Amino acid sequence: GLVGQAVARRLLQEGPRRLTLLSLKREEAEEAVRLVAPEAQGTSIDAAWGDVFAFADWKDRPRREVFSEAPNRARLIESLLEPLSESAAGAYFIHQLVAGERPDVIVDAVNTATGIAYQDIYRTSRRAFGALQRGEDLRESLELLLLTDYVPQLIRHVQVLYLAMVK
């Protein structure tokens, strides 16, 4: 995004050896690299892309697609609610990226609040409540409700990022 590009331009003035720009989509990351490359002055700039809240094997899939499959919902719910192990953290895209890159500095210019808000916990809650009122099977509604709860996602994201940084 614009904030990330502005930060990258400012960092390039410091002459780092390497800079990795991350975006949700490949095209966005590569475009950001293309736009800041003229200011690189010898700095190697790489593009990385994917959902920073996702497992590495899902990083390029839309969340709705991932959540449409019951085994995926179960895997993600477990990963958000169970104690975090090093191996579980290692399954996340952001952990693999940070542990692999081993950066000296990480600047997070992702608008996390907006990204998580797009999940719309209120709409999901209304659907779950409607299913309850109609006497329907609540399994999928409850799973989706658990997946849209903001707090476990934010806490887990910070925990995974922390474990990647200290690795």
Side-chain angles (χ1 to χ4, degrees), residues 18-76:
R18 187 166 176 224
L19 188 64
T20 300
L21 302 181
L22 171 67
S23 191
L24 179 61
K25 298 181 190 282
R26 179 181 185 157
E27 304 78 35
E28 295 168 347
E30 290 174 344
E31 175 71 3
V33 168
R34 187 185 67 73
L35 290 171
V36 301
E39 301 169 49
Q41 303 174 33
T43 297
S44 170
I45 305 178
D46 299 312
W49 56 89
D51 183 345
V52 296
F53 293 100
F55 293 121
D57 54 331
W58 298 345
K59 75 177 189 74
D60 297 317
R61 293 178 63 192
R63 287 186 146 235
R64 282 200 172 118
E65 178 185 308
V66 171
F67 291 176
S68 71
E69 301 169 23
N72 292 348
R73 291 192 304 270
R75 178 181 174 203
L76 187 52

Side-chain angles (χ1 to χ4, degrees), residues 78-91:
E78 183 177 339
S79 76
L80 291 172
L81 301 179
E82 293 298 322
L84 183 65
S85 66
E86 182 66 39
S87 65

Side-chain angles (χ1 to χ4, degrees), residues 26-153:
R26 179 181 185 157
E27 304 78 35
E28 295 168 347
E30 290 174 344
E31 175 71 3
V33 168
R34 187 185 67 73
L35 290 171
V36 301
E39 301 169 49
Q41 303 174 33
T43 297
S44 170
I45 305 178
D46 299 312
W49 56 89
D51 183 345
V52 296
F53 293 100
F55 293 121
D57 54 331
W58 298 345
K59 75 177 189 74
D60 297 317
R61 293 178 63 192
R63 287 186 146 235
R64 282 200 172 118
E65 178 185 308
V66 171
F67 291 176
S68 71
E69 301 169 23
N72 292 348
R73 291 192 304 270
R75 178 181 174 203
L76 187 52
I77 290 166
E78 183 177 339
S79 76
L80 291 172
L81 301 179
E82 293 298 322
L84 183 65
S85 66
E86 182 66 39
S87 65
Y92 282 88
F93 167 59
I94 192 68
H95 187 283
Q96 291 180 14
L97 180 66
V98 171
E101 297 279 334
R102 301 181 53 85
D104 293 321
V105 176
I106 297 172
V107 178
D108 181 352
V110 175
N111 189 341
T112 303
T114 299
I116 288 180
Y118 279 130
Q119 296 175 98
D120 197 352
I121 194 168
Y122 294 103
R123 182 182 57 174
T124 305
S125 296
R126 284 190 302 271
R127 285 183 181 168
F129 185 58
L132 178 65
Q133 288 179 316
R134 292 185 299 275
E136 296 174 1
D137 180 9
L138 297 177
R139 182 178 188 84
E140 184 174 348
S141 294
L142 179 57
E143 288 173 344
L144 291 171
L145 192 55
L146 289 169
L147 290 172
T148 55
D149 187 359
Y150 310 146
V151 176
Q153 291 180 68

